[in-house]
Amino acid sequence: MPHAEGVSDEEFRAAMARLAAGVVLVTAHDPEEGPRGEDVGMTATAFLSVSLDPPLVLISLREESRMDELLSRQDHWAVCLLTDAQTKTAGRFAMKARLSDRLLFQELPHTRGSVSGAPLVDGALAAVECRTEQRVTAGDHTLVIGRVLATRLTHGESGPLLYYGGRYRSLG
């Protein structure tokens, strides 16, 4: 059904499917969940650099998602830039009816970020640890702008994992 402006949801989705995007895993630690807290993760493609001075990034979260709710009360989080060898990880954290995040992280090699306390995926192209600077409501999403507090780079041969045309893809 067309919106007042004349673009249907289907047309908009089809147009946006033609935009290649890098795939990331957004992670955070929820200290209020259980006796030791719980790690939470979410696959995303709407992640970008906002500013170099100060270093700021932006992630778009579906309103009322578990990650949106967590980052409304927890201001430290991380983003791991996935490699084309990490398609399975991206798929698992993107599923709506999935295993608990606790089980997914048990199977995923990772270390804990020294600044954010969030899980950082081993072998990712890079990881950035952030502190929320601003939250902006935008339609059915929340744009979270974070100040980059720490970065981690890896030196592997893998390329970035991309999402294009409704599928995960490699650069090559």
Side-chain angles (χ1 to χ4, degrees):
M1 168 178 241
H3 296 280
E5 295 80 14
V7 176
S8 72
D9 288 345
E10 189 175 298
E11 289 172 324
F12 178 66
R13 284 190 180 104
M16 294 311 297
R18 295 180 180 198
L19 176 65
V23 181
V24 301
L25 184 65
V26 184
T27 63
H29 183 74
D30 186 352
E32 297 176 17
E33 188 68 37
R36 286 187 252 151
E38 184 171 342
D39 294 327
V40 178
M42 179 196 91
T43 301
T45 56
F47 173 70
L48 59 108
S49 171
V50 174
S51 169
L52 291 175
D53 187 18
L56 298 173
V57 294
L58 178 145
I59 190 75
S60 180
L61 306 173
R62 185 176 37 82
E63 221 174 40
E64 299 179 10
S65 66
R66 171 110 190 257
M67 189 62 72
D68 183 41
E69 186 278 324
L70 174 56
L71 295 190
S72 71
R73 57 186 169 78
Q74 164 65 286
D75 65 353
H76 284 77
W77 44 280
V79 175
C80 301
L81 286 65
L82 299 180
T83 71
D84 53 12
Q86 294 173 316
T87 304
K88 185 187 258 185
T89 297
R92 285 183 172 177
F93 281 93
M95 294 187 316
K96 290 184 183 186
R98 64 181 191 224
L99 297 169
S100 75
D101 285 4
R102 184 183 312 268
L103 293 176
L104 290 175
F105 278 110
Q106 282 178 357
E107 297 175 4
L108 181 65
H110 65 279
T111 56
R112 192 149 311 277
S114 61
V115 176
S116 66
L120 306 179
V121 179
D122 293 352
L125 291 173
V128 293
E129 295 183 76
C130 305
R131 180 186 65 235
T132 300
E133 292 280 309
Q134 188 175 357
R135 291 173 55 87
V136 179
T137 300
D140 60 359
H141 278 63
T142 303
L143 306 178
V144 181
I145 299 170
R147 181 179 294 256
V148 177
L149 304 175
T151 60
R152 181 177 83 177
L153 303 176
T154 59
H155 303 286
E157 296 294 317
S158 294
L161 180 59
L162 301 177
Y163 194 75
Y164 176 77
R167 293 185 19 219
Y168 294 118
R169 307 206 184 221
S170 298
L171 192 58

